[in-house]
Amino acid sequence: MRIDTVWHNARLATLDPVLPKLGVIERGAIACTDGRIVFAGPEQDLPASDAARFDCEGRWITPGLIDCHTHLVHAGDRAREFAQRLGGATYEEIARAGGGILSTVRAVRAASQAELVTQSLPRLDALLAEGVTTVEVKSGYGLDREAEWRMLAAARELGRQRPVGITTTYLGAHAVPPEFAGDADGYVDWICTEMLPALAAERLADAVDVFCETVAFSPAQTSRIFDTAQRLGLPVKLHADQLSDFGGAALAARYGALSADHLEYASDEGAAAMAVAGTVAVLLPGAFYTLRETHAPPISALRRHGTPIALATDCNPGSSPLTSPLLAMNMAATLFRLTVEECLAGFTRVAAQALGLQAEIGTLQPGKFCNLAIWDIGAPAELIWRIGFNPLYRRVWRGA
Ligand code: DI6
Ligand code: FE
């Protein structure tokens, strides 16, 4: 067997689902050919080769982290609104005064594609510095055709400027734009007749998402968008039950969505329906923390029904200005009581499933892309236990 590169003298958390817990292999090695893993197992079983060899000196290797829900591409910031909120203003008052999501929409509409890339690169670099090798990026701050297009094209461009896998999601149904004020149904019609067919033809969006909420789009509007997306062959995802139980989890399950995300107010029935449909629950502790939410997602129902649980940063300027997967894991453990195994699976194997990429990434197994995070730690729990400390030693994307 031809082998390009070997990492040896390592402890592997393979996340192989047939192995218990993290799928740990002490004294392990990984071999890579043409960017793919060809061997991951005990070093004594490593096939002989004259490949380049990296001695990991006992460090831990996990799959490269996957941030499966972000709004990483945007322009401007909302630091002033944050300060206003600390001064007593409510989110609603700020939104009524033209702030909130629509203030970011104005900034994105005023930005060129190159400016979107320039402003987003530092956020992407912060993720990469903590071992992220795949990032999902949503649109949803442009809303009109040109600005949504620029956001999605900027996301694709980020993947050319950095060694990272980028997947794109069209979230036109994030807010009703000013030009459709008072006519959410008209905006949904326009999404279904104009935007979705054009995006599908251009292959600019890998999936379609909707913010289904009393303050955003209704279940009926969500269904229309999902019906159209599925007719065009685009997988769907949903911002579901973040602020109220709106039946979003069950709706996502009915469509066989890749994931339903947030889920603070999801019902037991919603969690059960997701498990049957194989829809991943993506929990976003950064938004829970920032909004000072107190109603935690139904973790015990998700566990009882066997709904797969993923985690993500939800990186966005309003409800989760977070670019640290390690802090997101710490928050999930501390705020939601997720275990070390759930946190790590949530940012690797299950996150891959939330993107429909479980055949390509998310575990250390032959056939998958050789995306690795090599950590200077004595045990996996250290990744989640510390706050504001980054023990990443090296990051490998597709073998390099
Ligand atoms: N849920 C959220 O928490 C964010 N979007 C969404 O669908 C809020 C985004 C923002 O405030 O800019
Ligand atoms: Fe989000």
Side-chain angles (χ1 to χ4, degrees):
M1 176 185 348
R2 181 173 69 79
I3 296 176
D4 298 333
T5 315
V6 161
W7 291 265
H8 71 106
N9 193 13
R11 296 150 95 184
L12 311 181
T14 63
L15 278 296
D16 182 339
V18 309
L19 296 176
K21 298 214 167 196
L22 293 173
V24 170
I25 296 173
E26 300 279 349
R27 273 184 288 282
I30 292 176
C32 170
T33 304
D34 294 333
R36 301 252 181 194
I37 295 171
V38 291
F39 173 88
E43 184 154 359
Q44 65 199 34
D45 299 338
L46 180 70
S49 76
D50 54 6
R53 290 173 70 85
F54 284 97
D55 184 349
C56 295
E57 298 168 321
R59 293 183 180 87
W60 279 84
I61 304 182
T62 67
L65 302 187
I66 299 166
D67 198 349
C68 67
H69 178 142
T70 85
H71 310 250
L72 179 117
V73 168
H74 57 263
D77 68 77
R78 304 248 286 276
R80 223 168 46 98
E81 285 181 15
F82 180 72
Q84 284 170 348
R85 289 221 300 277
L86 293 177
T90 67
Y91 194 83
E92 288 71 34
E93 284 164 359
I94 291 170
R96 253 184 280 118
I101 292 179
L102 289 179
S103 84
T104 302
V105 170
R106 278 194 301 279
V108 165
R109 287 182 174 188
S112 67
Q113 187 182 316
E115 283 164 347
L116 288 174
V117 170
T118 306
Q119 291 194 38
S120 302
L121 270 174
R123 291 186 282 272
L124 178 61
D125 286 339
L127 296 180
L128 302 197
E130 292 192 3
V132 170
T133 49
T134 307
V135 185
E136 184 258 16
V137 179
K138 299 179 196 296
S139 68
Y141 286 119
L143 307 182
D144 68 20
R145 183 188 167 106
E146 289 70 31
E148 288 289 292
W149 217 265
R150 285 201 302 281
M151 285 188 78
L152 293 167
R156 292 267 196 248
E157 176 61 22
L158 289 174
R160 289 187 282 270
Q161 296 203 10
R162 292 290 186 273
V164 63
I166 300 279
T167 75
T168 57
T169 301
Y170 171 62
L171 177 60
H174 193 199
V176 178
E179 55 276 17
F180 279 95
D183 184 20
D185 278 315
Y187 181 55
V188 169
D189 284 341
W190 177 81
I191 286 176
C192 292
T193 55
E194 301 288 329
M195 274 310 267
L196 288 176
L199 287 167
E202 203 71 19
R203 296 182 173 275
L204 202 50
D206 301 315
V208 173
D209 195 346
V210 173
F211 186 18
C212 181
E213 193 59 61
T214 46
V215 298
F217 295 88
S218 69
Q221 291 162 342
T222 303
S223 292
R224 278 162 59 207
I225 292 172
F226 279 8
D227 284 331
T228 309
Q230 291 194 329
R231 239 187 343 265
L232 293 163
L234 290 165
V236 298
K237 311 172 76 70
L238 191 64
H239 279 70
D241 304 328
Q242 178 185 4
L243 309 171
S244 59
D245 180 6
F246 213 26
L251 175 67
R254 209 149 55 237
Y255 279 89
L258 289 172
S259 69
D261 305 30
H262 284 289
L263 298 173
E264 276 83 344
Y265 290 86
S267 64
D268 193 288
E269 299 76 55
M274 287 174 62
V276 172
T279 296
V280 173
V282 178
L283 305 184
L284 305 167
F288 180 93
Y289 168 86
T290 301
L291 297 176
R292 307 181 76 228
E293 179 62 68
T294 54
H295 197 290
I299 305 295
S300 58
L302 294 171
R303 285 181 179 145
R304 187 158 25 85
H305 296 298
T307 318
I309 299 174
L311 294 174
T313 62
D314 196 16
C315 172
N316 78 69
S319 65
S320 190
L322 174 63
T323 47
S324 169
L326 294 175
L327 183 52
M329 287 195 274
N330 176 271
M331 287 175 171
T334 300
L335 300 172
F336 300 160
R337 310 313 283 162
L338 258 54
T339 65
V340 168
E341 288 78 18
E342 286 171 328
C343 287
L344 273 169
F347 258 104
T348 56
R349 187 182 66 232
V350 191
Q353 195 181 337
L355 298 177
L357 295 176
Q358 59 272 27
E360 303 279 10
I361 54 174
T363 65
L364 304 179
Q365 289 181 282
K368 302 236 178 149
F369 279 119
C370 188
N371 295 346
L372 315 177
I374 308 177
W375 306 97
D376 244 326
I377 51 172
E382 280 181 46
L383 290 178
I384 291 145
W385 158 64
R386 295 182 75 155
I387 301 171
F389 183 80
N390 178 7
L392 187 76
Y393 173 71
R394 193 153 296 165
R395 197 187 74 100
V396 174
W397 184 70
R398 298 192 181 180

